[in-house]
Amino acid sequence: MSESIIYLVKEIFLIILTVIASITNTFGFKGGPNVPPDDRYPLQEPAIVEESDLFWPEERIFPSFSEPQKSLIAFPADILPEREMTALACLQGFANAQETVAVILDSDVSKWLDTYGYSYDTVNGDNVFEHISTLCDGAVAGVILYSDELSSEYVNLASSIGNLMNAIPLTAEAYDKWTENGVDLPVIEDIRGLPYKSAYDIYKYFYDNYWQRSNRKILVVQRPDLPFQMRDLASATGGAVVYLSCSGGKETWLFKKYLNDMIPGESILTGWYAGQERELMTVAAQCGLSCVPSDFFSNPTVFAQKADIEVPSVPDTPDLENKIYIAYYLSDGDNIQYDMHAMRGYWDNSSAHRGKVAVNWTISPALVDVAPGMMNYYYTQATDKECFVCGPSGLGYTMPMNTYGANRGNQFRSEKDFTSYVDMTNGYLQRSGLRAVTIWDNLSKAQREIYTENGTYLYGLTVHNFTDSSLKKKMTGITNDTLIIQMTPGYFAQNAEGNLPLTELENHIKDAVSYLKYDGSSPVFVATQVSVWAFNNIGEVVNLEKHLSDYYESIYGRDVVEFVRADHFYNLYYEANKLPQDMTLSSALTAEATSNSADAMLTADGTCYGESIWTADSEGQQSITYSLGKVCSVNEITLYHAEAAGLDASLNTKSFKVEISTDGRSWTEAASLSDNTDRFTNLRFGAVKGAYVRVTVTDAGADGIARIADIDIFGIPA
């Protein structure tokens, strides 16, 4: 039986289950708010709350919050019982949506507060309710009363309802305690009378009665026993918190109903489903969505400020030699809780070794919104040998093609949805400076076409077969002049004894080199990925490179092993295989401008950040001429405008033309664009031979001052 038929049968079965469940609810207790009435907690009119101050333009997946104007009120993570901490996290979200004033001191939070330069005053048990009462004033309308005796899922239900009403979830016991301690809030809804015991019935109740009023741009998937983490974000944005199984049955059917109400390319999941990683990823992909994993990330309303990303400049690509080029990736950067916690530890603990060997750190492009200060911490300390790449498989973790466990095969059943995912990803790649993406587990032929056609910021992609990383699978290939290379191994993890033997990884790489028939006369390229959880620090990578170098030097009499940055890896591959490469990464490239020529080379440093932008000295038509240092067949240009450097979109170049010349005197127009409004422009055209490229700004935008933040010039040396 084909996979599509099996899928159809499952869907029909789930529909039958749902009809049965609906009949049961129809003739049984339907439930509803305020049932049964309780004279001890009469429902009251909600208190008046102030408007929020979120910065959330349409193109941003996550909102940003104001920078603190005074010391934060810092609540230790254990200052209250678990359920009360959930209420505190919701309160934090409502308050921070107006002005960033509160933080929960979870693991590593104080370290990041220091990094951000935020001061804070720690609350103690004697004054905790005084501070809670202060935060409630003007931010909270009241309380949603609930009981978790029938199911722990009621805490998610109560908080999700409360998120729509600026109300915090409290049990009756907790409400009495808070009231006795001076927190005076009205009860605006009481759901203790609901009879539901199963997760399905509880979240179905929310779906039927409240979901359509929720913010459906972000859906938080979070266990009821995680008391804060992403809850402040859900409260601040009027979002929902759910925890439904993704492994089949009516819970999965209901989860898909939620997901199908969201918009591919505009909506996203965040949170995590413990024990059902692949199930969550594949079910989301089937609905055209991805997930920003964030199981133990905390305080997004504190760390999500509007800030420019300080993308480090890219060093020139080394000269191509007949070497074994290895791109060494560290996994798990797609999870922002790893970026917040474990990555910080690995990064800081490796300070004595970083810069000695080229390493590619996976990181989440979502940090552009969620925690730009965290991304900048790594970026501003990075050495020239450290490159950042996007974890699987773009903006948010997803599995276009799953090769392991349940739901194997193509998960994005709609090419339109996959295109939306890639388009959304491409914008975030540019904003975060990430030029390579790791794909879990693979891409279909159609998906390869879509990703390489629409991923205009990409240098290349990696894929791997999770169950078999043998290169005999032949997953490496070129699509639209873009390399999609199979990793080997795709995810090198601990062995049964919990060790990561260096010799075992060496043997994997040696097998790959042998398969590629390296004999010292031409270069070969190997991409490998190591599970970060089986890793201690960069010193291990330094040792690995030395062992491999020593081994091959004993064979060829010279050092033929070179670990390289991912951006260099792809450009070297393209050069070796006579494919278009980014000529701006060549040390031979020079640039001169008709105005402010001294800054012209800022457009070829691989970054748009801050002052790394060329700005003309005067109004009017201006141009920059690039000398490639050799004759090339140029076929693609990407121009990054003022907005890409953090300036106002009105300053983006409106019109420009691209000309190519062999001698710098006679020019051929290769491409032009008018009425541009985008932050960057990718132009592909028929190959034109030349050693010079001239970009002329004919309409500079709102103030008439020409600006170019960065440029990519792709061509094949003749």
Side-chain angles (χ1 to χ4, degrees):
M1 186 181 295
S2 70
E3 288 186 5
S4 59
I5 295 176
I6 293 173
Y7 175 77
L8 181 61
V9 171
K10 286 182 178 178
E11 292 295 301
I12 293 173
F13 178 68
L14 289 176
I15 291 172
I16 294 172
L17 286 177
T18 305
V19 171
I20 294 172
S22 176
I23 293 173
T24 302
N25 283 340
T26 299
F27 294 101
F29 184 88
K30 287 181 67 66
N34 318 327
V35 179
D38 189 333
D39 293 338
R40 293 173 300 169
Y41 306 99
L43 301 186
Q44 303 174 56
E45 289 295 318
I48 297 175
V49 298
E50 300 173 10
E51 292 186 8
S52 68
D53 189 31
L54 297 184
F55 176 76
W56 204 0
E58 185 177 338
E59 68 273 12
R60 286 179 67 110
I61 296 296
F62 297 94
S64 65
F65 297 76
S66 62
E67 289 193 17
Q69 299 302 304
K70 55 189 176 182
S71 290
L72 293 165
I73 304 170
F75 296 89
D78 58 355
I79 197 168
L80 293 170
E82 181 181 288
R83 290 291 185 254
E84 293 177 53
M85 287 303 299
T86 297
L88 179 59
C90 294
L91 169 59
Q92 176 196 16
F94 296 135
N96 285 356
Q98 297 173 1
E99 179 186 1
T100 303
V101 292
V103 64
I104 294 177
L105 293 179
D106 189 22
S107 172
D108 293 325
V109 169
S110 59
K111 187 184 300 183
W112 284 113
L113 292 176
D114 292 342
T115 299
Y116 272 64
Y118 294 165
S119 60
Y120 58 95
D121 298 316
T122 304
V123 173
N124 59 53
D126 295 332
N127 61 9
V128 60
F129 287 105
E130 177 184 340
H131 286 291
I132 286 175
S133 184
T134 299
L135 289 181
C136 287
D137 188 25
V140 175
V143 168
I144 308 295
L145 277 188
Y146 74 97
S147 169
D148 58 2
E149 292 182 3
L150 294 179
S151 171
S152 63
E153 306 294 343
Y154 276 101
V155 67
N156 279 354
L157 175 62
S159 61
S160 295
I161 294 173
N163 293 346
L164 302 176
M165 305 176 182
N166 284 82
I168 58 175
L170 286 172
T171 64
E173 295 77 13
Y175 179 69
D176 291 342
K177 173 183 170 183
W178 284 36
T179 302
E180 290 170 4
N181 282 277
V183 181
D184 185 19
L185 292 171
V187 175
I188 60 176
E189 192 147 341
D190 186 346
I191 62 170
R192 290 175 301 151
L194 296 177
Y196 308 122
K197 297 180 180 180
S198 70
Y200 171 83
D201 288 331
I202 291 168
Y203 294 116
K204 180 72 162 56
Y205 172 77
F206 181 82
Y207 182 90
D208 290 340
N209 294 281
Y210 300 97
W211 169 241
Q212 298 304 316
R213 294 157 52 192
S214 294
N215 153 43
R216 283 171 282 160
K217 196 169 185 178
I218 303 171
L219 178 63
V220 177
V221 179
Q222 187 159 311
R223 300 197 322 251
D225 62 343
L226 290 181
F228 39 94
Q229 284 72 34
M230 301 298 282
R231 290 187 188 275
D232 59 325
L233 178 68
S235 295
T237 58
V241 183
V242 304
Y243 200 64
L244 286 158
S245 172
C246 303
S247 61
K250 61 183 183 180
E251 281 192 36
T252 303
W253 176 86
L254 177 58
F255 189 44
K256 285 185 175 181
K257 280 182 68 70
Y258 278 93
L259 302 188
N260 284 326
D261 287 341
M262 301 171 75
I263 303 175
E266 299 180 18
S267 304
I268 207 157
L269 307 182
T270 191
W272 196 239
Y273 203 117
Q276 293 188 16
E277 174 177 340
R278 285 182 174 261
E279 289 87 342
L280 174 61
M281 296 307 107
T282 52
V283 167
Q286 290 163 16
C287 300
L289 303 174
S290 61
C291 175
V292 173
S294 54
D295 34 357
F296 295 105
F297 189 92
S298 64
N299 296 285
T301 61
V302 174
F303 296 117
Q305 273 72 51
K306 184 182 179 183
D308 293 333
I309 300 300
E310 303 176 37
V311 179
S313 59
V314 181
D316 292 336
T317 304
D319 292 337
L320 178 66
E321 301 179 64
N322 293 327
K323 289 186 172 183
I324 300 166
Y325 290 104
I326 298 173
Y328 184 98
Y329 287 66
L330 291 172
S331 74
D332 283 75
D334 60 294
N335 193 327
I336 60 173
Q337 73 94 1
Y338 159 78
D339 299 333
M340 181 181 192
H341 299 299
M343 183 174 176
R344 176 73 182 257
Y346 293 138
W347 185 268
D348 293 347
N349 293 337
S350 295
S351 58
H353 307 287
R354 291 182 23 247
K356 294 180 179 179
V357 65
V359 173
N360 299 289
W361 298 84
T362 54
I363 198 167
S364 173
L367 292 180
V368 166
D369 289 349
V370 177
M374 294 185 189
M375 181 167 268
N376 283 339
Y377 176 78
Y378 300 117
Y379 279 13
T380 56
Q381 294 186 21
T383 68
D384 282 351
K385 286 187 175 292
E386 288 173 304
C387 182
F388 297 92
V389 297
C390 179
S393 296
L395 181 60
Y397 182 13
T398 190
M399 291 181 178
M401 293 285 293
N402 179 29
T403 65
Y404 178 74
N407 301 335
R408 297 193 188 190
N410 188 345
Q411 301 305 309
F412 275 89
R413 297 187 170 94
S414 163
E415 290 184 9
K416 179 182 177 182
D417 287 351
F418 189 68
T419 301
S420 297
Y421 171 69
V422 174
D423 288 344
M424 174 180 68
T425 291
N426 195 51
Y428 273 81
L429 293 179
Q430 190 278 316
R431 291 172 63 196
S432 57
L434 303 175
R435 308 301 298 256
V437 176
T438 64
I439 301 292
W440 282 39
D441 293 331
N442 204 348
L443 295 168
S444 69
K445 182 178 179 181
Q447 289 166 351
R448 288 178 179 230
E449 288 285 344
I450 292 168
Y451 219 130
T452 55
E453 179 68 24
N454 291 61
T456 55
Y457 192 68
L458 279 172
Y459 281 152
L461 298 152
T462 67
V463 297
H464 76 279
N465 186 319
F466 195 82
T467 55
D468 184 358
S469 61
S470 169
L471 292 180
K472 294 179 181 178
K473 293 290 181 179
K474 298 187 181 300
M475 290 185 281
T476 295
I478 298 292
T479 305
N480 293 322
D481 290 335
T482 302
L483 172 63
I484 303 174
I485 189 168
Q486 179 186 346
M487 283 187 160
T488 178
Y491 189 72
F492 188 67
Q494 294 173 331
N495 61 20
E497 290 73 38
N499 301 315
L500 185 104
L502 190 64
T503 53
E504 189 177 335
L505 181 55
E506 284 183 40
N507 289 335
H508 275 286
I509 294 174
K510 289 174 183 176
D511 288 345
V513 172
S514 176
Y515 178 82
L516 295 170
K517 296 180 170 56
Y518 179 73
D519 61 4
S521 63
S522 59
V524 295
F525 296 84
V526 177
T528 187
Q529 182 171 226
V530 174
S531 166
V532 74
W533 307 114
F535 164 79
N536 292 310
N537 60 53
I538 297 299
E540 297 176 24
V541 193
V542 175
N543 290 335
L544 175 64
E545 184 186 43
K546 185 177 186 308
H547 288 191
L548 287 167
S549 294
D550 289 348
Y551 172 77
Y552 284 105
E553 187 169 0
S554 69
I555 299 174
Y556 296 102
R558 57 189 175 91
D559 186 3
V560 296
V561 172
E562 187 167 354
F563 280 40
V564 291
R565 299 166 50 106
D567 41 23
H568 290 173
F569 180 86
Y570 286 105
N571 269 286
L572 288 166
Y573 184 97
Y574 296 141
E575 183 179 356
N577 290 276
K578 301 189 183 312
L579 293 164
Q581 65 195 81
D582 190 347
M583 303 305 298
T584 65
L585 295 186
S586 169
S587 59
L589 183 126
T590 60
E592 293 184 355
T594 53
S595 174
N596 189 16
S597 193
D599 284 351
M601 281 297 289
L602 292 177
T603 64
D605 63 358
T607 178
C608 303
Y609 166 70
E611 295 182 358
S612 181
I613 178 174
W614 170 77
T615 304
D617 293 328
S618 57
E619 295 182 30
Q621 179 172 302
Q622 305 287 354
S623 64
I624 299 181
T625 301
Y626 300 90
S627 171
L628 306 181
K630 60 189 79 173
V631 175
C632 300
S633 293
V634 180
N635 69 333
E636 183 177 349
I637 298 282
T638 304
L639 206 64
Y640 303 91
H641 308 296
E643 187 183 2
L647 301 179
D648 190 85
S650 66
L651 302 177
N652 287 343
T653 304
K654 189 173 182 180
S655 300
F656 65 93
K657 62 181 178 179
V658 178
E659 299 168 290
I660 299 172
S661 170
T662 56
D663 57 9
R665 295 185 297 274
S666 177
W667 297 90
T668 299
E669 184 172 318
S672 63
L673 188 70
S674 300
D675 299 321
N676 172 63
T677 58
D678 294 333
R679 60 191 296 127
F680 70 101
T681 307
N682 177 258
L683 298 175
R684 296 171 178 173
F685 44 85
V688 179
K689 282 193 174 183
Y692 301 88
V693 174
R694 184 167 67 191
V695 176
T696 301
V697 176
T698 53
D699 187 339
D703 67 354
I705 302 294
R707 295 175 179 85
I708 298 177
D710 210 62
I711 190 170
D712 295 323
I713 302 171
F714 293 92
I716 305 172

